[in-house]
Amino acid sequence: VMISETHSLGAAPCVVWEASGDADQPYGAANATDATSPPCLFVPAPTPLAPPVPVSTHALAAAQPDVLHSEVPTAPADPHPIRFVAQVEQPAVPAATAREVWSVLTLTAPVFQADTERAPVDIVLAVDVSGSMSGEKFRLAKETIKFVVGNLRETDCLGIVTYDSFVKTPSQLIPMSRGNKERMLQLVCGIVAGSSTDLCGGMLAAVDMMGARPAPNMVASVLLMTDGMANIGVQDDAGIQCALAAHKGRAATQFSMYTFGFGADHNAQLLRTLSEAGGGMYYFIKGPEDIPESFADCLGGLLSVVAQNITIQLHAPMFATITRVHTHKPHRISDDRRSATIELGDIQSEEVKDIPVQLALERVDSPFVGALTATMELFNVIASTVQTIAATAMLARTALDPPTAPKNDKILQQRLRITGADAIAAAQELAERSNFRGAQDRLNAFLGDTEGIADPVISQLREDVRECLRGVQSREEYKRVGSYTMTSSIQSNMHQRSNRSVPSTYLT
């Protein structure tokens, strides 16, 4: 039996229970909308805090549940539906047993043609023009600005801030009409390299320009690029982070921030932290050849945003608590650990976002059927509407041991993704303390534990771990490239979004 979708019949929410003829079918493989699906039986869907429903172990065994997860589609007429599904690794657990159970919430964005359907965007470039950017990097940075200009429409707006010892605003946000594009390209040719790096000043000027837009587009982002450390103005990491929070907090409009670190002399941890606070990504630009592709990767993602302001309200099943939500996105678990709020920001075309959640099940005296419930609210950029989508994962507490459930490949994949990202983070902490042998052992342990697993996400993660392993072979290699690679890899795997110019299973 599979719970595949929640529908509304009149005033009573119902769940589609779908008989599955394939006993070996993994969790999540069935599709209630498939024309070949067998007939469905509608039964009332449980609410998060409904009283326990007694259940017979023998009846449960007869039912043989393959999957207990569900979703509510955005709207039947929506041409760009966003799917939202909840799963648990063990759909039935003995009532007399206290146990930890993993669950996963999955968002899947639709595919759309960006050239005809995308939303207009506002972009402000904050460009480091300090002396260290002179030469090939500066030439390619100018070419990158020209690339951005060339890929924007008349409905898009672009602004430019430059910073060295002084912060300048060569152009406020202006629509990218043909005439304005020509003027922008002439302006870029006149930008010259200067002296020091007032990174904080340049960042805040770009943030203030974006925050003061009188007629903002829904999709907006600041792209901050630098090749060095802040050495004038506010220079300490904490001060720069506080300044960003203050200026972004009083902005009249919402926007993201992406950061780009050029070469081996920038502050990777700071740029990653700023991008996290801004809901964007940090890109490590190893060499000049990476600049065009990295900016194309970032711009392509911004031009394909399908939903923004995604917030999820999660409620644990009865007699269970939420022990951990595995995401670097802002989230809060309630004091009683019965609920959690997760702020995901945006999602881009074709992206898949998974949020693993660990649950602690209490021992209970009587069997019943409970449910992990989640409600997602978002702004659909393509449909220009606020939407609410619900997902439910059923969890039965049984009188006797339930039949052995098949392995849930999705949850195994996500557990390994989190384990791999944690391994890279732990190895980086060891490398920062000059314990390079310990860092190597930590990464090699993950490679050993995942050897032979045929999964594209885990295969890509193993490649990331191998690259990080090469970066901790010595102090020199770690300072040259290892620290930047590890910082970038941790963020990419935790956010499931590409932030590098190398091949990745994640989209931009």
Side-chain angles (χ1 to χ4, degrees):
V1 174
M2 173 184 176
I3 297 181
S4 57
E5 291 187 359
T6 303
H7 295 272
S8 179
L9 298 182
C14 292
V15 174
V16 181
W17 289 68
E18 179 181 30
S20 173
D22 185 357
D24 297 324
Q25 188 177 34
Y27 290 1
N31 183 352
T33 62
D34 190 338
T36 63
S37 298
C40 297
L41 171 68
F42 288 87
V43 298
T47 57
L49 297 177
V53 179
V55 61
S56 162
T57 302
H58 300 292
L60 181 69
Q64 287 290 324
D66 286 340
V67 164
L68 294 174
H69 76 265
S70 66
E71 67 168 331
V72 177
T74 52
D78 185 358
H80 305 288
I82 297 173
R83 291 181 58 84
F84 185 36
V85 175
Q87 300 183 56
V88 291
E89 63 177 337
Q90 295 172 277
V93 175
T97 302
R99 185 174 299 179
E100 180 186 86
V101 173
W102 281 65
S103 63
V104 171
L105 308 176
T106 301
L107 292 71
T108 305
V111 180
F112 72 98
Q113 299 297 322
D115 58 338
T116 58
E117 300 175 322
R118 76 165 177 86
V121 300
D122 292 335
I123 293 176
V124 176
L125 301 175
V127 187
D128 182 349
V129 295
S130 60
S132 58
M133 280 288 289
S134 60
E136 184 67 2
K137 282 189 291 187
F138 197 63
R139 185 188 70 80
L140 287 172
K142 286 187 173 183
E143 291 300 318
T144 299
I145 298 173
K146 294 176 182 178
F147 170 81
V148 173
V149 171
N151 280 274
L152 297 182
R153 298 176 178 173
E154 291 188 357
T155 53
D156 303 321
C157 292
L158 178 67
I160 297 180
V161 170
T162 62
Y163 62 95
D164 56 345
S165 298
F166 304 94
V167 177
K168 300 177 182 178
T169 305
S171 174
Q172 293 287 342
L173 273 165
I174 56 174
M176 285 292 95
S177 63
R178 177 172 297 183
N180 282 342
K181 281 188 175 184
E182 293 176 355
R183 284 187 285 273
M184 188 72 77
L185 294 175
Q186 293 174 358
L187 179 154
V188 170
C189 292
I191 297 176
V192 296
S195 51
S196 301
T197 306
D198 185 1
L199 186 149
C200 186
M203 174 190 72
L204 296 182
V207 167
D208 290 345
M209 180 188 296
M210 188 65 83
R213 293 170 293 161
N217 284 320
M218 283 303 304
V219 180
S221 190
V222 170
L223 309 187
L224 173 69
M225 60 184 82
T226 183
D227 75 331
M229 305 281 188
N231 54 22
I232 191 172
V234 180
Q235 300 174 42
D236 63 293
D237 289 8
I240 295 173
Q241 293 167 31
C242 288
L244 173 61
H247 282 246
K248 203 168 188 296
R250 62 173 177 255
T253 57
Q254 295 185 346
F255 52 90
S256 61
M257 175 181 287
Y258 288 73
T259 60
F260 299 80
F262 294 59
D265 295 317
H266 66 273
N267 187 338
Q269 291 296 340
L270 173 63
L271 293 187
R272 174 187 163 187
T273 301
L274 295 177
S275 71
E276 297 271 3
M281 298 291 288
Y282 155 69
Y283 284 76
F284 168 43
I285 312 296
K286 185 186 299 185
E289 67 279 1
D290 295 328
I291 295 176
E293 188 168 352
S294 295
F295 273 85
D297 184 270
C298 173
L299 184 61
L302 288 173
L303 297 183
S304 67
V305 170
V306 297
Q308 293 181 312
N309 305 331
I310 302 172
T311 301
I312 296 174
Q313 299 289 340
L314 177 66
H315 296 276
M318 291 192 67
F319 305 110
T321 54
I322 300 169
T323 58
R324 187 171 180 186
V325 178
H326 291 276
T327 178
H328 283 184
K329 292 292 186 179
H331 62 281
R332 300 177 298 280
I333 300 177
S334 63
D335 292 340
D336 61 4
R337 310 197 77 81
R338 292 273 305 133
S339 63
T341 302
I342 308 163
E343 299 174 10
L344 286 186
D346 65 26
I347 190 169
Q348 299 167 358
S349 175
E350 300 183 71
E351 275 193 321
V352 176
K353 299 294 185 185
D354 298 294
I355 308 166
V357 178
Q358 286 178 259
L359 303 171
L361 307 184
E362 303 172 14
R363 181 189 180 280
V364 293
D365 295 329
S366 302
F368 70 96
V369 175
L372 172 74
T373 62
T375 303
M376 177 174 66
E377 184 173 286
L378 55 87
F379 180 82
N380 188 313
V381 173
I382 306 305
S384 296
T385 59
V386 175
Q387 297 177 330
T388 300
I389 313 172
T392 301
M394 308 300 295
L395 180 63
R397 305 301 301 274
T398 61
L400 301 176
D401 287 343
T404 301
K407 179 179 66 173
N408 188 318
D409 292 333
K410 179 67 169 182
I411 289 183
L412 174 60
Q413 176 199 79
Q414 292 308 306
R415 291 184 69 163
L416 290 176
R417 176 176 66 85
I418 297 301
T419 301
D422 288 346
I424 297 172
Q428 186 172 33
E429 289 182 6
L430 291 167
E432 287 291 325
R433 299 197 297 268
S434 298
N435 185 355
F436 297 104
R437 175 56 62 86
Q440 295 166 24
D441 290 345
R442 188 70 175 83
L443 296 174
N444 278 319
F446 176 79
L447 292 174
D449 292 342
T450 56
E451 186 173 2
I453 295 179
D455 179 278
V457 171
I458 304 309
S459 296
Q460 178 63 57
L461 178 55
R462 284 171 56 83
E463 287 300 318
D464 289 351
V465 170
R466 291 190 188 97
E467 185 175 6
C468 292
L469 186 59
R470 291 190 290 270
V472 294
Q473 295 302 306
S474 67
R475 184 187 309 276
E476 293 73 21
E477 189 65 11
Y478 179 70
K479 289 185 175 181
R480 186 183 72 84
V481 69
S483 63
Y484 307 107
T485 299
M486 297 175 91
T487 298
S488 176
S489 182
I490 293 167
Q491 188 183 52
S492 175
N493 284 288
M494 285 303 300
H495 291 311
Q496 295 175 283
R497 180 174 287 180
S498 172
N499 62 356
R500 302 163 69 191
S501 59
V502 298
S504 174
T505 54
Y506 305 128
L507 299 176
T508 56

